[in-house]
Amino acid sequence: MLLGSLLVLLLLGTAGTASAHAALESTDPADGSVLKSAPRTVTLTFSESVALLDDSFRVYDPDNRRVRTSSAHHAKDAGDTASVTLPAKLGTGTFTVAWRVVSADSHPVSGAFTFSIGKPSATTTPIATAPTEDPLTASLYDIARYFAYIAAALLIGTATFVALCRPPNPSVLNKPILMGWWTLLAATVVLLILRAPYEAGTGLATAFEPSAIPKTLTSRPGLALAARALLIAATAFFLLRLRGRERFGRVALGTGAVLAVGLALTWASAEHASAGIQVPVAMTSAVLHLLAMSVWLGGLTALLTVLYRAPDLDAAPVARFSRLAFASVTVLVVTGVYQSWRGLGSWNALTGTSYGRILLVKLGAVVLLLAVAGWSRQWTGRMVGADVRLRVPELVRAGAATGADGAVTVSTGAGAGDDGDGDGEGASNPGDGSQEQDRGDGSQNRYRGDDSQDRYRRGLRRSVLFEVGVGVVVLVITTLLTNTLPGRAAADAQQTATPAGIPAASVTIVPFRVGNAGGKVQITLDPGRVGLNSVEAVVYGPDGGFATVPELRLSFTLAAQKIGPLDADVKDEGGYWGTNSLNLPIAGTWTMKVTVRTTDVDQVSVSRQVRIVR
């Protein structure tokens, strides 16, 4: 079971890097804008507060030379902004700005955009820089996060099972507790080491630079990881003090609860709950959600272990865990509904965003998990019922065999001094073979009860094993959700953020020929997505230089949806043709028709396919 869980985690951990959580809402200068004079600063505004890196901004001139800038800072001390000061003289042409910051929920965010001074450059120079996301670093960091979640659930849930459900032989759970503790410690150390290269998007070698760990410990995610490491050490001391105990007083239970809450806070303080709306309520909900998940799923693992390694387990611990699991599920449902509302923001985001679609998958898995939990509760009820039916007759018989002096003369059997065959002998004389006769009669019900209990234990083992498997899937999906931009942020943002090094617009080159003359039109749609787009069309002559034409027309048609033609209504802006009001309402492959008039009587129309995405 553990090997299967690890394989799932490894496969999902290497599936991709974490999605951005702080969405870029606006840039100044605006993406794709053409300015008459050079700006003095570049400022980005995000949907939540961000932390700045040493290399948060890289500005490149039209010749792909990096422009010397000031260090990055927050504009007007606003935590949701990032700004850099530019030199006084920049020249003309198209400049590219690549940026990278860390969102309040600990995830790095990167992107790129362009602006032009005077007029756009003839060609856009690609950003000549290293990849902004090292795949190995990002994958290892995500895998460590998955293991940390699994380990926390195993440690907290198993310890809670021992303390509150009181299994008859708690020593069989020492190994799961140790496994959870060591795995959580190892995952936390790995996360601390990888935090600096993960934020910077660099390779593993930079993790061992002298400044890496000190720099990590100045950030909120780094401080949360450091606090987690200290709490893990305190938990080890606490567990050693309680080793061997079968009962726990209020002080021990209270101390354990404080440590569990503290561990949960190290997640809540550095992820989704720490940014956005209603932060105090969200962090409280996140802590309760993580603890309830740990008590349920970790407790299930503990129950499964006890069922396999302690075959004489009676129904009492199982019944206690059943009540504890029901309370945990109630907390999970309440906090889960709140967190889903907070993350989505609207019903449209449920199907229109990655966060919403992953949430739907999680809801389906949770429904399956609840169904399996109901199956387990049925087996639990049967075990408890059989245990009651077994114990009541024994107690009655024991009471009937209690003499006037209070001494119990018979523990099992059909009656005092009766072996069940009506001769009044057997039970009162343990040395004459009557005990065997007793087993043949009075204890038959007990053995039949034991057979029933064994059957119920086997059924409960199967249902709990299935429940643990589905629970691991739910936990993995939950971890994926923490790596995904919340639907509310995606809806609020203007979707201007794109991965660094990738053009922030759709660029299409359309060659044309009129008579013996020819040329090409470079058409830029920014951002090239559904909704409002700006259009810039630059005409080049046969020699590759700028060309002037008396008229240029653009129209867009989506034949599959019978939309169009939509006239872009571009205007001559002096050096290029453009507009800021082209609205493309639906994603799909549009047909862009370009009509170029070179003289009063000569013109040509050329069509090209343009992909518009959401």
Side-chain angles (χ1 to χ4, degrees), residues 232-285:
I232 292 171
T235 301
F237 179 76
F238 173 71
L239 292 175
L240 288 175
R241 289 290 303 272
L242 297 181
R243 185 172 54 182
R245 293 191 188 182
E246 294 186 0
R247 291 291 186 272
F248 304 93
R250 293 181 179 179
V251 174
L253 293 175
T255 304
V258 169
L259 289 172
V261 171
L263 286 172
L265 273 171
T266 63
W267 271 276
S269 62
E271 292 191 349
H272 283 318
S274 63
I277 63 173
Q278 302 176 354
V279 171
V281 178
M283 289 188 62
T284 302
S285 174

Coordinates of all heavy atoms in Angstrom, one line a residue, residues 232-285:
I232 N 8.9 19.8 15.0 CA 9.1 18.4 14.9 C 10.1 17.9 16.0 O 9.9 16.8 16.5 CB 9.7 18.1 13.5 CG1 8.6 18.4 12.4 CG2 10.2 16.7 13.3 CD1 9.2 18.3 11.0
A233 N 11.1 18.7 16.3 CA 12.0 18.3 17.4 C 11.3 18.3 18.7 O 11.5 17.3 19.5 CB 13.2 19.3 17.4
A234 N 10.4 19.2 19.0 CA 9.6 19.2 20.2 C 8.7 18.0 20.3 O 8.5 17.4 21.3 CB 8.8 20.5 20.3
T235 N 8.1 17.6 19.1 CA 7.3 16.4 19.1 C 8.0 15.2 19.4 O 7.5 14.3 20.1 CB 6.7 16.3 17.7 OG1 5.9 17.5 17.3 CG2 5.7 15.1 17.6
A236 N 9.3 15.1 19.0 CA 10.1 13.9 19.3 C 10.3 13.8 20.8 O 10.2 12.7 21.4 CB 11.5 14.0 18.6
F237 N 10.6 14.9 21.5 CA 10.8 14.9 22.9 C 9.5 14.6 23.6 O 9.5 13.8 24.6 CB 11.2 16.4 23.4 CG 11.4 16.5 24.8 CD1 12.5 16.0 25.5 CD2 10.4 17.2 25.6 CE1 12.7 16.1 26.9 CE2 10.6 17.3 27.0 CZ 11.7 16.8 27.6
F238 N 8.4 15.1 23.1 CA 7.1 14.8 23.7 C 6.7 13.3 23.6 O 6.3 12.7 24.5 CB 6.0 15.6 23.0 CG 4.6 15.3 23.4 CD1 4.1 15.6 24.6 CD2 3.7 14.7 22.5 CE1 2.8 15.3 25.0 CE2 2.4 14.4 22.8 CZ 2.0 14.7 24.1
L239 N 7.0 12.7 22.4 CA 6.7 11.3 22.2 C 7.6 10.4 23.1 O 7.1 9.3 23.6 CB 6.9 10.9 20.7 CG 5.9 11.6 19.8 CD1 6.2 11.2 18.3 CD2 4.4 11.1 20.1
L240 N 8.8 10.8 23.2 CA 9.7 10.0 24.1 C 9.3 10.0 25.5 O 9.4 9.0 26.3 CB 11.2 10.5 24.0 CG 11.9 10.3 22.7 CD1 13.2 11.0 22.6 CD2 12.1 8.7 22.5
R241 N 8.8 11.1 26.0 CA 8.3 11.2 27.4 C 7.1 10.3 27.6 O 6.8 9.8 28.7 CB 7.9 12.7 27.7 CG 9.1 13.6 27.9 CD 9.9 13.3 29.1 NE 9.1 13.4 30.3 CZ 8.9 14.5 31.0 NH1 9.5 15.6 30.7 NH2 8.2 14.5 32.1
L242 N 6.3 10.1 26.6 CA 5.0 9.4 26.7 C 5.2 7.9 26.3 O 4.2 7.2 26.3 CB 3.9 10.0 25.9 CG 3.5 11.4 26.3 CD1 2.4 11.9 25.4 CD2 3.1 11.5 27.7
R243 N 6.4 7.5 25.9 CA 6.6 6.1 25.4 C 6.2 5.1 26.5 O 6.6 5.2 27.7 CB 8.0 6.0 25.0 CG 8.3 4.6 24.4 CD 9.7 4.6 23.8 NE 10.7 4.9 24.9 CZ 12.0 5.0 24.6 NH1 12.5 4.8 23.4 NH2 12.8 5.3 25.6
G244 N 5.4 4.1 26.1 CA 5.0 3.1 27.0 C 3.7 3.3 27.7 O 3.2 2.4 28.4
R245 N 3.2 4.5 27.7 CA 1.9 4.8 28.4 C 0.8 4.2 27.7 O 0.7 4.3 26.4 CB 1.7 6.3 28.7 CG 2.7 6.9 29.6 CD 2.3 8.3 29.9 NE 3.3 9.1 30.7 CZ 3.1 10.3 31.1 NH1 2.0 10.9 30.9 NH2 4.1 10.9 31.8
E246 N -0.3 3.8 28.4 CA -1.5 3.4 27.8 C -2.6 4.3 28.0 O -3.7 4.3 27.4 CB -1.9 2.0 28.3 CG -0.9 0.9 27.8 CD -1.4 -0.5 28.2 OE1 -2.5 -0.6 28.8 OE2 -0.7 -1.5 27.9
R247 N -2.5 5.2 29.0 CA -3.5 6.2 29.3 C -2.8 7.6 29.4 O -1.6 7.7 29.7 CB -4.1 6.0 30.7 CG -5.0 4.7 30.6 CD -6.3 5.0 29.8 NE -7.2 3.9 29.9 CZ -7.2 2.8 29.1 NH1 -6.2 2.7 28.2 NH2 -8.1 1.8 29.2
F248 N -3.5 8.6 28.9 CA -2.9 10.0 28.8 C -3.8 11.0 29.6 O -5.0 11.0 29.4 CB -2.8 10.4 27.4 CG -2.0 9.4 26.5 CD1 -2.6 8.4 25.9 CD2 -0.6 9.5 26.5 CE1 -1.9 7.5 25.1 CE2 0.1 8.6 25.7 CZ -0.5 7.6 25.0
G249 N -3.2 11.8 30.4 CA -3.9 12.8 31.2 C -4.2 14.0 30.3 O -3.8 14.1 29.2
R250 N -4.8 15.0 31.0 CA -5.2 16.2 30.3 C -4.0 17.0 29.8 O -4.0 17.6 28.7 CB -6.1 17.0 31.2 CG -7.5 16.4 31.5 CD -8.3 17.3 32.3 NE -9.6 16.7 32.6 CZ -10.6 17.3 33.3 NH1 -10.3 18.5 33.9 NH2 -11.7 16.7 33.5
V251 N -3.0 17.0 30.6 CA -1.8 17.8 30.3 C -1.1 17.2 29.0 O -0.8 17.9 28.1 CB -0.8 17.8 31.4 CG1 0.5 18.5 31.0 CG2 -1.3 18.5 32.6
A252 N -1.0 15.9 29.0 CA -0.4 15.2 27.8 C -1.3 15.5 26.5 O -0.8 15.8 25.5 CB -0.3 13.7 28.1
L253 N -2.6 15.3 26.7 CA -3.5 15.5 25.6 C -3.4 17.0 25.1 O -3.4 17.3 23.9 CB -4.9 15.1 25.9 CG -5.2 13.6 26.2 CD1 -6.6 13.4 26.6 CD2 -4.9 12.8 24.9
G254 N -3.4 17.9 26.1 CA -3.3 19.3 25.7 C -2.0 19.7 25.0 O -2.0 20.4 24.0
T255 N -0.9 19.1 25.5 CA 0.4 19.4 24.8 C 0.4 18.8 23.4 O 0.9 19.5 22.5 CB 1.5 18.8 25.7 OG1 1.4 19.3 27.0 CG2 2.8 19.1 25.1
G256 N -0.1 17.6 23.3 CA -0.2 17.0 21.9 C -1.0 17.9 21.0 O -0.7 18.0 19.8
A257 N -2.2 18.4 21.5 CA -3.0 19.2 20.6 C -2.3 20.5 20.2 O -2.4 20.9 19.1 CB -4.3 19.5 21.4
V258 N -1.6 21.1 21.1 CA -0.9 22.3 20.8 C 0.2 22.1 19.7 O 0.3 22.9 18.8 CB -0.2 22.9 22.1 CG1 0.8 24.0 21.7 CG2 -1.3 23.5 23.0
L259 N 0.9 21.0 19.8 CA 1.9 20.6 18.8 C 1.3 20.4 17.5 O 1.8 20.8 16.4 CB 2.7 19.4 19.3 CG 3.7 19.6 20.5 CD1 4.2 18.3 20.9 CD2 4.8 20.6 20.1
A260 N 0.2 19.7 17.5 CA -0.5 19.4 16.2 C -1.0 20.7 15.5 O -0.9 20.9 14.3 CB -1.7 18.5 16.4
V261 N -1.6 21.6 16.3 CA -2.1 22.9 15.8 C -0.9 23.7 15.3 O -1.0 24.3 14.2 CB -2.9 23.7 16.9 CG1 -3.1 25.1 16.4 CG2 -4.2 23.0 17.2
G262 N 0.2 23.7 16.0 CA 1.4 24.4 15.6 C 1.9 23.9 14.2 O 2.3 24.7 13.3
L263 N 2.0 22.6 14.1 CA 2.4 22.0 12.8 C 1.5 22.4 11.7 O 1.9 22.8 10.6 CB 2.5 20.5 12.9 CG 3.6 19.9 13.7 CD1 3.5 18.4 13.9 CD2 5.0 20.2 13.0
A264 N 0.2 22.4 11.9 CA -0.8 22.8 10.9 C -0.7 24.2 10.5 O -0.8 24.6 9.3 CB -2.2 22.5 11.4
L265 N -0.3 25.1 11.5 CA -0.1 26.5 11.2 C 1.0 26.8 10.3 O 1.0 27.7 9.5 CB 0.1 27.3 12.5 CG -1.2 27.7 13.2 CD1 -0.8 28.3 14.6 CD2 -1.9 28.8 12.4
T266 N 2.0 25.9 10.3 CA 3.2 26.1 9.4 C 2.8 25.9 7.9 O 3.5 26.4 7.0 CB 4.3 25.2 9.7 OG1 3.9 23.8 9.5 CG2 4.8 25.3 11.2
W267 N 1.7 25.2 7.7 CA 1.2 25.1 6.3 C 0.3 26.3 6.0 O 0.4 27.0 5.0 CB 0.4 23.8 6.1 CG 1.2 22.7 5.6 CD1 1.6 22.4 4.4 CD2 1.8 21.7 6.5 NE1 2.4 21.2 4.3 CE2 2.5 20.8 5.6 CE3 1.8 21.4 7.8 CZ2 3.2 19.6 6.1 CZ3 2.5 20.3 8.3 CH2 3.2 19.4 7.4
A268 N -0.6 26.6 6.9 CA -1.6 27.6 6.7 C -1.0 29.0 6.5 O -1.5 29.9 5.8 CB -2.6 27.7 7.8
S269 N 0.1 29.2 7.2 CA 0.8 30.6 7.2 C 1.6 30.8 5.9 O 2.0 32.0 5.7 CB 1.7 30.7 8.4 OG 2.7 29.8 8.3
A270 N 1.7 29.8 5.1 CA 2.5 30.0 3.9 C 1.9 29.5 2.6 O 2.6 29.3 1.6 CB 3.9 29.3 4.1
E271 N 0.5 29.3 2.6 CA -0.1 28.8 1.4 C -1.4 29.7 1.2 O -1.4 30.8 1.6 CB -0.4 27.3 1.6 CG 0.8 26.5 1.6 CD 0.6 25.0 1.4 OE1 -0.6 24.6 1.5 OE2 1.6 24.3 1.2
H272 N -2.4 29.1 0.5 CA -3.5 29.9 0.0 C -4.2 30.8 1.1 O -4.6 31.9 0.9 CB -4.6 29.0 -0.6 CG -4.2 28.5 -2.0 ND1 -3.7 29.3 -2.9 CD2 -4.4 27.3 -2.5 CE1 -3.5 28.6 -4.0 NE2 -3.9 27.4 -3.8
A273 N -4.3 30.2 2.3 CA -5.0 30.8 3.4 C -4.4 32.1 3.8 O -5.1 33.0 4.3 CB -5.2 29.9 4.6
S274 N -3.1 32.3 3.6 CA -2.4 33.5 4.1 C -2.5 34.7 3.2 O -2.0 35.7 3.5 CB -0.9 33.1 4.2 OG -0.3 32.8 3.0
A275 N -3.2 34.5 2.0 CA -3.4 35.6 1.1 C -4.8 35.7 0.6 O -5.5 34.7 0.6 CB -2.4 35.5 -0.1
G276 N -5.2 36.8 0.2 CA -6.6 37.0 -0.3 C -7.5 37.6 0.7 O -7.1 38.3 1.6
I277 N -8.8 37.2 0.6 CA -9.8 37.7 1.5 C -9.9 36.9 2.8 O -9.6 35.7 2.8 CB -11.2 37.8 0.8 CG1 -11.7 36.3 0.4 CG2 -11.1 38.6 -0.5 CD1 -13.1 36.3 -0.1
Q278 N -10.4 37.6 3.8 CA -10.7 36.9 5.1 C -9.6 36.0 5.6 O -9.8 34.9 5.9 CB -12.0 36.1 5.0 CG -13.2 36.9 4.5 CD -14.4 36.0 4.3 OE1 -14.4 34.8 4.3 NE2 -15.6 36.7 4.0
V279 N -8.4 36.6 5.7 CA -7.2 35.8 6.0 C -7.3 35.1 7.4 O -7.0 33.9 7.5 CB -5.9 36.7 5.9 CG1 -4.7 35.9 6.5 CG2 -5.7 37.0 4.5
P280 N -7.8 35.8 8.5 CA -7.9 35.1 9.8 C -8.8 33.9 9.8 O -8.5 32.9 10.3 CB -8.3 36.2 10.7 CG -7.9 37.5 10.1 CD -8.1 37.3 8.6
V281 N -10.0 34.1 9.1 CA -10.9 33.0 9.0 C -10.4 31.9 8.2 O -10.5 30.7 8.5 CB -12.3 33.5 8.5 CG1 -13.3 32.4 8.3 CG2 -12.9 34.6 9.4
A282 N -9.7 32.3 7.1 CA -9.2 31.3 6.2 C -8.1 30.5 6.8 O -8.0 29.2 6.6 CB -8.7 32.0 4.9
M283 N -7.2 31.1 7.6 CA -6.2 30.4 8.3 C -6.7 29.4 9.3 O -6.3 28.3 9.5 CB -5.2 31.3 8.9 CG -4.3 32.0 7.8 SD -3.0 33.0 8.5 CE -2.0 31.7 9.3
T284 N -7.7 29.9 10.0 CA -8.4 29.0 11.0 C -9.0 27.8 10.3 O -8.9 26.6 10.8 CB -9.5 29.8 11.8 OG1 -8.9 30.9 12.4 CG2 -10.1 28.9 12.8
S285 N -9.7 28.0 9.2 CA -10.3 27.0 8.5 C -9.3 26.0 7.9 O -9.5 24.8 7.9 CB -11.1 27.6 7.3 OG -11.7 26.5 6.5

